[in-house]
Amino acid sequence: MGPAASRVRSAITGGPGAGKSTLLEALAGHGIATVPEAARIILRRPGGLELRAHDPDGFACAMFEAERTAFDGAGPGLTVFDRGFPDIAGFLDLAGLPVPAGIDRACRSLRYEGPVFHAPMWQAIYTGDEERIQTWDEALESDAAVLAAWRRYGYDPIELPRESVASRVRFVERWLGISGP
């Protein structure tokens, strides 16, 4: 059995502001390998917001390249990703754009071996920021689109509880079969 066979990639999906990144940071604090959201990294680069606003196809391709690099670079053991390939398909669906063949192929063949968690929209914790520019209603639409994309590609995301970060960490750790510090 080679190193790839002992690799387990898990993901957290959901709309903007549902607590995915906060949960990922907490999981990292518990010693779990994590990968931050590619879209946020791209949006923080010079021209990133403009790319998203004026060239959604180009933005999707940039997300795909970053996600592919992270996916391929995951080491042995468990890695939890903030979003995944089907999130890109959901973004394109929401924009009314076709999913390019390469992204569709990745969604079908580059599989997350571990569970996929869904952070449901939760208005009590939703806040905007420089990269999170969606209104609450737009965030709900985004959540529905990405969840539908994950399901379309054969995943059955596990809904996270609308509870504290610590409770969410314990929930994820139980599903992953690990215990916290």
Side-chain angles (χ1 to χ4, degrees):
M1 198 160 41
S6 63
R7 184 170 29 199
V8 176
R9 290 168 286 216
S10 185
I12 303 170
T13 189
K20 296 177 304 298
S21 297
T22 301
L23 174 57
L24 209 74
E25 289 172 17
L27 291 170
H30 283 226
I32 297 171
T34 61
V35 174
E37 181 182 359
R40 291 279 256 188
I41 294 167
I42 295 164
L43 290 170
R44 290 179 178 145
R45 293 181 189 153
L49 287 169
E50 292 78 14
L51 179 64
R52 181 178 186 263
H54 302 295
D55 184 6
D57 280 317
F59 184 65
C61 287
M63 286 190 292
F64 174 71
E65 290 304 319
E67 198 67 42
R68 178 67 195 255
T69 298
F71 186 89
D72 290 343
L78 172 66
T79 302
V80 181
F81 289 74
D82 189 337
R83 298 192 177 275
F85 298 119
D87 284 277
I88 301 167
F91 167 79
L92 290 164
D93 292 343
L94 188 60
L97 298 169
V99 177
I103 294 174
D104 180 69
R105 200 169 27 259
C107 290
R108 294 180 190 286
S109 63
L110 301 176
R111 307 297 291 176
Y112 295 84
E113 303 90 357
V116 174
F117 298 96
H118 172 241
M121 293 306 298
W122 186 5
Q123 197 160 18
I125 65 169
Y126 182 80
T127 58
D129 60 29
E130 288 184 25
E131 293 99 26
R132 189 181 303 125
I133 57 174
Q134 296 92 343
T135 66
W136 172 250
D137 289 338
E138 291 168 335
L140 288 172
E141 291 174 9
S142 178
D143 180 59
V146 297
L147 188 56
W150 279 93
R151 288 181 174 147
R152 181 170 75 234
Y153 289 109
Y155 294 92
D156 187 19
I158 301 159
E159 186 163 314
L160 294 169
R162 287 182 179 93
E163 296 176 1
S164 70
V165 175
S167 292
R168 282 181 161 191
V169 167
R170 286 190 300 276
F171 181 87
V172 168
E173 288 177 337
R174 277 193 304 273
W175 268 97
L176 295 172
I178 56 179
S179 59

